[in-house]
Amino acid sequence: MDLTVDLYELSRVVFSYPAIDNHAHPFLREEFRDTVPFEGLITEADGEQALHDATHTMACYRATAQLAKLYGLGAGADWEAVKRFRSGIPYEQLCRACMDPTRIQCILIDDGLGSPEKVYPYRWHDHFTPSPSKRIVRVEAVAEDILKKSIQFQIEKEELAPSVLIQRFVPALETALRAAAADPEVAGFKSIACYRTGLDVGVVTTLPDDNSGHEILTRLSLIFMTNQKLRLAHKSFNDYIVNVTMRIAGEAGKPVQFHTGLGDNDITLTTSSPAQLQTLIKAYSNTKIVLLHSSYPYTKEAGYLTSVYENVFLDFGEIFPFLSPDGQRQVVREVLELAPTNKIMWSTDGHYWPESYYLGSLQARQVLYEVLESSVRRGELALPQAIGIVKRAFFENANRIYNLGLEPHII
């Protein structure tokens, strides 16, 4: 066939094929739409100066131009002009304007990010998709909620006994995770061990019911009694939570997502590489593991793991729009270097702002087209092969791996 005709057909499929967003987060509720700095759309950085610095990145320049075009602003509109204009758009109109062009058919939503009262419930997002949204259960949030209730129970009884806490916590965690695994609304689980104690998760079967474990629980209890807050960031506990999740998820056939790589300054970069998960991958060979966020900057390592372990799959998300266009193309090329194309999946990592879904979709489609177009031009891919990659990456792989049972909604 004529190359021009082939490339036109590839472009048509890339920019129109329905997508399953295999990892995202809820929108902010309308009344809270301007309560979080909008710079979080283009950076994981935190703090006033770091957020300001992010507006001087290639990622921000590109996002500014694309949002200005979406809003109908002039080509010279800057970041501040974009922010001012979006704040005046009725919220339903803004959400619809961002979501309609994405061709997202189904969203798998980790609803453990942010304060529940400030974001919409996961099923609210069905307003914008042909197929119902599904939940991804953040296991550290489940564990923390159980521990809070256990501590509160002991406070009301006016006693503080770490051994009793463990005796209550262990079966309650098992029960909660099994209930989630059996829930048809739950597509899978997610761990943020990367943020808490690192991805070098040990294979364990019990919690430490000894002095070290008691000391951790006593400290957590005192903190909770003081400010009603609790954050599990103790390796023995976090490793145990991950292991219980891996066992139950494997039995139920539901994937476990792991945050890997790209994150804020709460991450220890040296323990955020997916290579740290190798022991866990081997120990739970029947449990499907999804490496999130392209594992950037460890994409090559993620591709390697995906190629040699049957139970490992690779998500290429969050780099849209956080990386420069050249950076995105390089990451997608690295994903395709080694990872089987029936094991890669796309996501927006959309969160808080509808624009995160818009940019995450638009930029991913642009970049995937550019990378595949280059290979087709060089004769490295035939058109049917390139189109197959598109359909698998955007829809078919996630549909299979998460057992969604969907048919593509072709417009």
Side-chain angles (χ1 to χ4, degrees), residues 45-350:
D46 193 20
E48 185 176 351
Q49 184 59 48
L51 292 175
H52 171 73
D53 293 342
T55 65
H56 296 279
T57 61
M58 293 289 288
C60 185
Y61 296 150
R62 184 191 193 194
T64 300
Q66 290 176 328
L67 293 179
K69 183 177 181 180
L70 174 69
Y71 301 151
L73 302 177
D78 62 11
W79 181 251
E80 292 302 319
V82 165
K83 287 170 61 177
R84 286 193 300 271
F85 187 84
R86 75 173 299 274
S87 292
I89 303 175
Y91 199 53
E92 173 69 21
Q93 180 183 333
L94 176 66
C95 293
R96 185 68 61 189
C98 290
M99 292 300 291
D100 282 352
T102 64
R103 304 289 192 271
I104 295 173
Q105 179 171 330
C106 174
I107 311 172
L108 308 186
I109 295 182
D110 164 16
D111 52 7
L113 177 70
S115 303
E117 68 275 7
K118 291 187 176 183
V119 297
Y120 285 109
Y122 76 100
R123 289 302 298 269
W124 176 87
H125 302 76
D126 295 355
H127 286 84
F128 308 107
T129 58
S131 299
S133 302
K134 297 288 187 180
R135 283 189 71 210
I136 297 293
V137 173
R138 185 180 291 210
V139 297
E140 287 82 7
V142 172
E144 287 168 349
D145 186 56
I146 292 169
L147 197 52
K148 286 177 185 177
K149 291 176 180 176
S150 297
I151 294 171
Q152 186 62 44
F153 178 79
Q154 288 209 340
I155 291 172
E156 292 170 0
K157 292 186 64 177
E158 296 184 351
E159 65 179 25
L160 187 58
S163 287
V164 176
L165 273 180
I166 290 175
Q167 291 166 14
R168 290 177 61 87
F169 175 77
V170 168
L173 178 65
E174 179 100 10
T175 298
L177 294 180
R178 287 199 178 279
D183 187 348
E185 289 294 295
V186 173
F189 298 93
K190 178 189 175 183
S191 171
I192 55 168
C194 186
Y195 273 106
R196 299 300 177 83
T197 52
L199 292 177
D200 52 335
V201 179
V203 178
V204 298
T205 57
T206 59
L207 270 179
D209 193 0
D210 55 17
N211 288 339
S212 64
H214 294 178
E215 183 180 340
I216 291 168
L217 284 173
T218 300
R219 190 183 315 129
L220 287 171
S221 299
L222 292 173
I223 292 171
F224 179 72
M225 291 166 64
T226 302
N227 58 24
Q228 298 297 294
K229 293 182 179 180
L230 189 149
R231 185 177 188 270
L232 276 171
H234 303 274
K235 187 166 173 54
S236 57
F237 278 75
N238 290 78
D239 284 6
Y240 175 76
I241 293 162
V242 169
N243 276 265
V244 174
T245 302
M246 292 292 288
R247 172 170 51 82
I248 291 173
E251 292 169 0
K254 294 193 173 180
V256 180
Q257 300 178 344
F258 281 89
H259 181 112
T260 63
L262 192 58
D264 60 30
N265 61 9
D266 197 29
I267 278 178
T268 299
L269 191 58
T270 54
T271 57
S272 70
S273 166
Q276 301 276 351
L277 286 169
Q278 202 161 3
T279 300
L280 199 73
I281 291 167
K282 292 178 180 179
Y284 295 95
S285 58
N286 292 325
T287 303
K288 293 179 281 190
I289 294 172
V290 180
L291 307 175
L292 293 175
H293 311 320
S294 316
S295 298
Y296 180 86
Y298 303 107
T299 309
K300 288 180 183 290
E301 287 89 334
Y304 177 86
L305 294 171
T306 306
S307 73
V308 298
Y309 292 107
E310 182 181 344
N311 59 326
V312 177
F313 304 86
L314 179 54
D315 157 79
F316 62 107
E318 194 176 16
I319 60 170
F320 317 104
F322 283 3
L323 268 60
S324 72
D326 281 341
Q328 292 173 357
R329 284 186 284 269
Q330 181 61 33
V331 169
V332 171
R333 289 190 185 101
E334 290 184 0
V335 167
L336 295 174
E337 278 180 2
L338 197 56
T341 62
N342 63 339
K343 299 182 73 181
I344 62 173
M345 295 175 288
W346 163 82
S347 72
T348 59
D349 194 39

